[in-house]
Amino acid sequence: MAQRLTDIARKGLWHGVTSQSSYRPTPSLLRRTGLLTVLCCSAIVMLSQNLSACPFCAPQLTFWRQIEDSQGAVAAQWVKSVPPDENGIDSGSTTFKVRTVLRAGKLPVKVDDELTLRYYMEGTPQDLFFVTAHQTGEVTFAWDRAERVSATLVNYIKARPTDEAPVKERMNYFLAHLEHPEETIAIDAYSEFAAVRYDDVAAIAKDLPREKLLQWITDTNPETAPVARKAFYGMLLGLCGTKEDAAAMEQMFSSADGGGIIGRAGIVSGYLLLTGTEGLDKVEQQLILSKDETRADPFAAVEAIRFMWTYGNGRIPSKRLIQSMRLMLDNPGMAEFAVTDLTRWDDFALGEKLFAYYDREGYDNEQMQTAIIRYYLTIGQLNEADYPAVDRPAIVRCRQMIEVLKKRDPVLFDKAERYLRPAFRPASKPE
């Protein structure tokens, strides 16, 4: 199981995914989503998305984005449907009557127009459907598959502030709909934050519903807990929480089940925003160094350390974050990820000891060895004149190690060098 988690996490870290998807998971699926999804999503957010985007937000296509990407969108009432014929030649049809035009675009459509789609959908006259259209020719259009919605959802879409509205106005609208009784609206409001800059979210800290956030992340009822959104809520609580909230968060991630392991990385990140270096000491003891497998969670710790490096604004000194990430080198399942991050963070001191891991048992696999080669390649290509005198010998030493590795493992070296991506170039250190 541990190896499977490592393999899945590695795919997210090394390959990335597109920032948006047209796939819309159902509420029941989101509730059933397990650690694997969160692990991949957190890696994607931290490494594949624009770093200015809000972390711990799922890159899911919202209703508004679907409307913006279409040539027309309507809310339509079911009128009638004709089932497919027995021979399967005719797929049937469904007729709708337009009740609300959400976007006209180039499409000539108005309220009370009827539209017929060439597939069968059961329904009643009380049912509403969300339908978008795309352009198929210079003056021709086609309707996409209809999605059943509620009148409440249609009103939510209509009332959404436009993208031209101040970002604070838009975020406060989404905040008001987090954990809406209609799960589809709650998911959509949460997904809207994926396109919002973290700094903009931090700027509305005083508007965040602190007590509700604590309630949501501590909810362990499988029927009501916002499983897929706990990480995001944990981060938000870190922006507005109190010492008492920090204590509750520590109790959550220190417990045997991690407060419900899904969302743990966001809860730990929020905890570190509230507690700084003192909190990091406890995270190391509980999640990295603990021998209790029911409590240890190096994946969550890694994501929280990455979060603080990128978004912590100096709350924890960069040297202290590097020190914490180095602890992962003692875990063969996490070492590859640690080397990748420490490479991006200009950890010049790593070079002297890293070579010893190349053939060490548990580390002598292609992924880890590739990460080691990429460390030396990345640091070795730097111009030492651009760095303090204390770091220059390490850069020169990396160049020497490049020559050693090139002779020692020429095939893997060539592969690592050929596919070296910009993601492995050192990232700017936090102030």
Side-chain angles (χ1 to χ4, degrees):
M1 178 62 175
Q3 183 59 46
R4 175 63 174 158
L5 291 175
T6 301
D7 292 342
I8 292 175
R10 181 178 293 121
K11 290 178 182 178
L13 284 163
W14 296 94
H15 301 294
V17 298
T18 55
S19 62
Q20 286 193 331
S21 168
S22 59
Y23 170 66
R24 177 181 297 281
T26 64
S28 60
L29 178 60
L30 284 175
R31 284 200 178 100
R32 295 195 303 268
T33 300
L35 170 62
L36 303 187
T37 299
V38 173
L39 186 59
C40 292
C41 287
S42 59
I44 291 163
V45 169
M46 300 302 290
L47 292 180
S48 300
Q49 274 192 316
N50 186 320
L51 288 180
S52 65
C54 182
F56 303 112
C57 299
Q60 179 180 318
L61 196 63
T62 63
F63 281 100
W64 186 265
R65 232 22 78 195
Q66 291 182 65
I67 293 171
E68 290 293 299
D69 292 343
S70 72
Q71 290 299 328
V74 301
Q77 175 186 3
W78 184 94
V79 176
K80 63 180 180 180
S81 58
V82 177
D85 63 22
E86 295 181 356
N87 298 323
I89 298 175
D90 188 338
S91 60
S93 66
T94 306
T95 300
F96 301 92
K97 179 175 286 189
V98 175
R99 289 307 183 200
T100 303
V101 177
L102 299 170
R103 183 185 185 193
K106 300 178 181 179
L107 189 68
V109 62
K110 61 183 182 300
V111 173
D112 289 336
D113 281 356
E114 288 195 350
L115 53 107
T116 298
L117 307 186
R118 301 306 304 175
Y119 54 82
Y120 174 73
M121 290 191 73
E122 293 184 347
T124 71
Q126 286 73 46
D127 293 336
L128 279 176
F129 289 79
F130 173 77
V131 196
T132 57
H134 64 275
Q135 195 162 356
T136 57
E138 188 173 342
V139 293
T140 57
F141 301 85
W143 291 102
D144 302 313
R145 192 167 187 85
E147 179 176 353
R148 198 182 304 265
V149 295
S150 68
T152 304
L153 176 58
V154 174
N155 290 332
Y156 158 79
I157 297 171
K158 289 169 59 179
R160 180 201 187 276
T162 66
D163 289 343
E164 288 70 38
V167 65
K168 182 176 180 180
E169 179 183 343
R170 286 185 281 125
M171 285 191 295
N172 281 326
Y173 183 76
F174 307 144
L175 281 175
H177 290 85
L178 292 175
E179 297 315 297
H180 188 279
E182 187 172 327
E183 180 75 351
T184 304
I185 294 176
I187 293 171
D188 195 84
Y190 157 68
S191 300
E192 287 279 8
F193 279 94
V196 178
R197 296 174 63 250
Y198 171 78
D199 289 345
D200 290 329
V201 177
I204 63 165
K206 63 182 181 62
D207 298 326
L208 297 174
R210 185 186 67 79
E211 294 182 355
K212 287 184 177 180
L213 290 169
L214 181 61
Q215 175 187 339
W216 293 337
I217 67 171
T218 55
D219 186 357
T220 57
N221 185 332
E223 296 299 320
T224 61
V227 172
R229 301 185 286 276
K230 276 195 174 184
F232 178 55
Y233 295 160
M235 183 203 74
L236 291 184
L237 188 57
L239 293 171
C240 67
T242 64
K243 291 182 179 180
E244 291 73 22
D245 296 330
M249 296 166 85
E250 180 181 342
Q251 185 175 6
M252 286 188 65
F253 71 72
S254 300
S255 64
D257 67 350
I261 198 166
I262 298 174
R264 197 186 223 181
I267 293 170
V268 177
S269 297
Y271 172 77
L272 291 179
L273 285 175
L274 292 174
T275 60
T277 302
E278 181 180 348
L280 183 58
D281 293 338
K282 296 181 179 180
V283 169
E284 289 176 347
Q285 292 300 320
Q286 295 287 346
L287 303 185
I288 301 175
L289 301 175
S290 175
K291 301 302 182 183
D292 185 347
E293 293 186 357
T294 66
R295 288 176 167 79
D297 189 349
F299 286 109
V302 163
E303 296 310 319
I305 295 167
R306 287 174 180 159
F307 170 85
M308 294 304 295
W309 180 276
T310 305
Y311 302 100
N313 197 28
R315 183 74 173 90
I316 299 176
S318 58
K319 289 184 178 180
R320 182 66 184 84
L321 293 172
I322 287 175
Q323 176 186 340
S324 187
M325 187 63 78
R326 284 178 187 162
L327 295 176
M328 300 295 176
L329 293 174
D330 294 329
N331 183 335
M334 299 300 300
E336 175 199 344
F337 308 137
V339 172
T340 299
D341 284 310
L342 293 171
T343 301
R344 296 170 56 245
W345 296 353
D346 290 356
D347 183 8
F348 294 111
L350 181 64
E352 284 300 319
K353 59 187 266 185
L354 188 58
F355 186 75
Y357 287 87
Y358 198 82
D359 290 323
R360 183 177 297 181
E361 184 178 356
Y363 299 82
D364 52 347
N365 56 76
E366 182 174 329
Q367 290 80 14
M368 180 61 182
Q369 291 175 336
T370 298
I372 293 173
I373 293 172
R374 283 171 166 164
Y375 169 85
Y376 289 115
L377 283 170
T378 302
I379 303 300
Q381 71 183 358
L382 300 177
N383 181 2
E384 61 263 34
D386 296 334
Y387 289 82
V390 67
D391 294 327
R392 294 172 187 172
I395 297 175
V396 174
R397 178 62 175 160
C398 283
R399 290 178 187 151
Q400 295 171 348
M401 295 309 302
I402 287 173
E403 296 306 314
V404 172
L405 290 168
K406 189 183 297 185
K407 294 177 181 178
R408 180 170 182 165
D409 205 339
V411 175
L412 185 58
F413 185 92
D414 180 67
K415 181 179 178 180
E417 185 176 36
R418 185 183 310 162
Y419 296 106
L420 185 67
R421 295 185 178 185
F424 297 96
R425 297 182 186 280
S428 298
K429 292 184 178 180
E431 296 296 333

